[in-house]
Amino acid sequence: MLMSLSLDDVRRIAKLARIAVTDTELAATQQQLNKIFTLIEEMRAVDTTGIAPMAHAQDVHLRLRDDVATAPDRRDAFQAIAPAVENGLYLVPKVIE
Amino acid sequence: MKWEVVIGLEVHTQLTTQSKIFSSASTAFGAAPNTQTAVVDIALPGALPVMNKAAVEKAIQFGLAIGAKVNQRSVFARKNYFYPDLPKGYQISQFELPVVEGGAITINVDGVDKTINLTRAHLEEDAGKSVHEDFHGLSGIDLNRAGTPLLEIVSEPEMRSAAEAVAYAKALYSLVTWIGICDGNMQEGSFRCDVNVSVRPEGQKEFGTRREVKNLNSFKFIEQAVKAEVQYQIELIEDGGKVQQATVLFNPDTGETRAMRSKEDAHDYRYFPDPDLPPLVISDEWVERVRSELPELPAAMQARFVEQYGIPAYDAATLTASKALAGYYEATVAAGADAKLASNWIMGDVSATLNREEKDIVDTPVSAEALAGLIRRVSDNTINNKTAKDVLRKMWDEGVTDPNGADAIIERDGLKQETDTGALEAIVDEVIANNAKSVEEYRAGKEKALNALVGQCMKASKGKGNPGVLTELLKQKLA
């Protein structure tokens, strides 16, 4: 059965992703997302019995590095592009409950 | 109605690596804010994570230590949520295929063993820290901790009381510090527990609705939080209410739990495999090498202590509470102390003094060899038990590590036990002469009166008399 998203689904996804979608953009976004489901539906038609699902598009293994702390302190450079800093901390709108 | 409590734990253990899980920034605690961050940790666009081999190895060690399955192939996933201490907008964790599955830990409550099964353990990165002091109405963010490797260990909901939950947390703590994958510093957040609590009428099969108490960093808080939750939930249901699934915080000052303002979307994490990280593959050779390097585990060491040293199971369990304590005991016996006496002294005076001074066994000023020297003098009756306690106190204060340190103090302070019967006989005669009342009571059949007389003799000998010899002499003379 073809899955499709309602306008409410689209609003919720947009909210979770912190993307502002205006009411005028909503219908177009719904259409675009539903197209992705159509594509998934087409792929579902392929018989994959007995095939282990892949977690990554390429059949490669995770590269591992040795446990050595080599990164230098680059705080000044990093914080030069931050909107607000104080005492070495990045400042953000208050987040405590 | 009788209620049954159901508890499961999720424990975040910080792994003892030098560098972060996906970057080469240092994980050392206590640095100035944001001085230990790399491009990956602050999520600069285009920065790619590279996995730390040591973090994987520690996860394998844990899996083997609890008899779990170490997955040959496991997958990293993105857990999506927005919070300022998580600059990427997602936490890299593991979801469908964790590195460790299954396994079990045995706990002991009131002398009864119980096996707690584990669901899984997975690798993930820690978030940064928010500093809520007032920065003109803003919050401060320190990302030094962001990217620190964590192993999240999830138990099955198999605990049935606060005592069992604490016993499980302690057993887990002892194991991860024993195998050295976690430094166990709870104040610094190296071992943090989330406790899921629900209640159900006894005999009911289905679980009740659970509430999750977040971020408990002491065993005492676990106990208090579980008890508070259980009371809250039972009272709520008995008053006709219904438990709502929630995340709650425990306030140690009030001893109460409080639900966090519920965020309606909080649990919609939209996990998906992280395209930046292909699957983690662990070879059989790697697992076998780690297995061969694993230290003797607490349970195996306990059994060996009973077998090898002939001490009771209780002693063996106490002495294997930490690797350092067990090592100290073995070193004491190896230096020539009687195995049972060594156990008594370490569980007794040594532990009591450490507790009083809030020290760990690694900080004990008296070396195992020096303690063995003292115990040998108890065994060969050079000093009695009471004098030995005083000598240990002096050794402690003077920081004695020399194997012959006890002998030197006994010699210097003239503490050698008086076993010369002639000298002791004189003392006994004097005590009998001066304690007519006790003598009369003893002769009248009151056994306790003899203890008083022995005590007087010990006093007269300035603690140096051998209580066994004195008792025998008293009995002979009063017969």
Side-chain angles (χ1 to χ4, degrees), chain B residues 2 4 200-206:
Chain B
K2 262 196 96 89
E4 183 178 50
R200 61 180 171 188
E202 211 170 62
Q204 179 182 303
K205 265 217 160 95
E206 303 79 42

Side-chain angles (χ1 to χ4, degrees), chain B residues 347-368:
Chain B
M347 294 197 304
D349 282 61
V350 172
S351 293
T353 312
L354 287 171
N355 282 342
R356 195 164 53 240
E357 298 183 357
E358 292 179 359
K359 279 184 180 163
D360 188 79
I361 188 73
V362 294
D363 306 315
T364 171
V366 177
S367 72

Side-chain angles (χ1 to χ4, degrees), chain A residues 3 14-15 23 26 46 49 62 64 68 74 81 84 86 90 92 94:
Chain A
M3 274 186 72
K15 187 182 167 214
D23 281 351
L26 216 51
V46 181
T49 320
L62 187 59
L64 304 174
V68 195
R74 295 173 65 195
I81 53 168
E86 191 171 313
Y90 296 91
V92 298
K94 208 159 185 68

